[in-house]
Each structure stands twice: as structure tokens, then as C-alpha cells.
Amino acid sequence: MPSDEPPGAEPEGIDACPEPELRQVLETLLQLYALWRIEQDRGWFLEHGYIESGKAEAIRRVVNKLYRELRPHAVPLVNGFGVPPAWMPSIAL
């Protein structure tokens, strides 16, 4: 399975964050990224027996739950990553 993990996506970097609220948001973002990657490659995981069909469905539910949890933090996260407002869809604003 290919790895295209973004730089700095290590739990150690998050643990070093001095702000507890921001650290929690970053932990949730890391969980979302990890589960999203599994979901994107679920066919590979299913084919090789790493997950079962029911687990793949559960991952989708957790990904959706994490999206909902992060929604209130979406604009500050995007601003923190320096994404220009013109690149954001109008629905996100």
C-alpha cells in the first residue's frame, strides 16, 4: 500500500502542542486522516483480510462522526494551513 502521509502527521508532534484545546483538535484531525486513508484503500484492506466488511462500514461511520466534530474548527484549521479563501468552497464559508 502506498504511503503519502503528510509531513508532521506524527502523534509526537501533536503531543508537543502546548494548548490542550488545539491538541485535542489536532488529535481528532490525525484520527480522521488515518481512518480516511484506510477508508480510501478499504478494497486493499478487505482483499488482504485486514478488515471485514462490517469494520469497513464502521470506519465510514466514524469518519462521518469525526467530520462533524471538526466542522466547527474547519475555518481556523484551513486558515492555520494558509489556504487562500478563494480556494475554499462557498458552502464552507
Side-chain angles (χ1 to χ4, degrees), residues 20-90:
E21 184 179 343
L22 177 57
R23 186 171 47 248
Q24 180 59 49
V25 170
L26 293 174
E27 287 172 356
T28 303
L29 190 61
L30 182 59
Q31 291 169 358
L32 174 61
Y33 176 75
L35 291 172
W36 176 82
R37 287 296 306 157
I38 292 170
E39 182 185 27
Q40 294 301 301
D41 293 323
R42 70 181 168 270
W44 185 91
F45 286 103
L46 288 164
E47 180 180 334
H48 290 87
Y50 287 103
I51 60 174
E52 299 171 358
S53 178
K55 299 267 187 195
E57 293 171 17
I59 289 170
R60 166 92 308 250
R61 287 191 299 273
V62 173
V63 165
N64 285 334
K65 175 184 163 283
L66 294 173
Y67 281 145
R68 288 189 299 273
E69 287 179 22
L70 286 171
R71 182 177 171 85
H73 307 283
V75 172
L77 282 169
V78 169
N79 290 341
F81 287 116
V83 177
W87 290 6
M88 291 183 57
S90 60

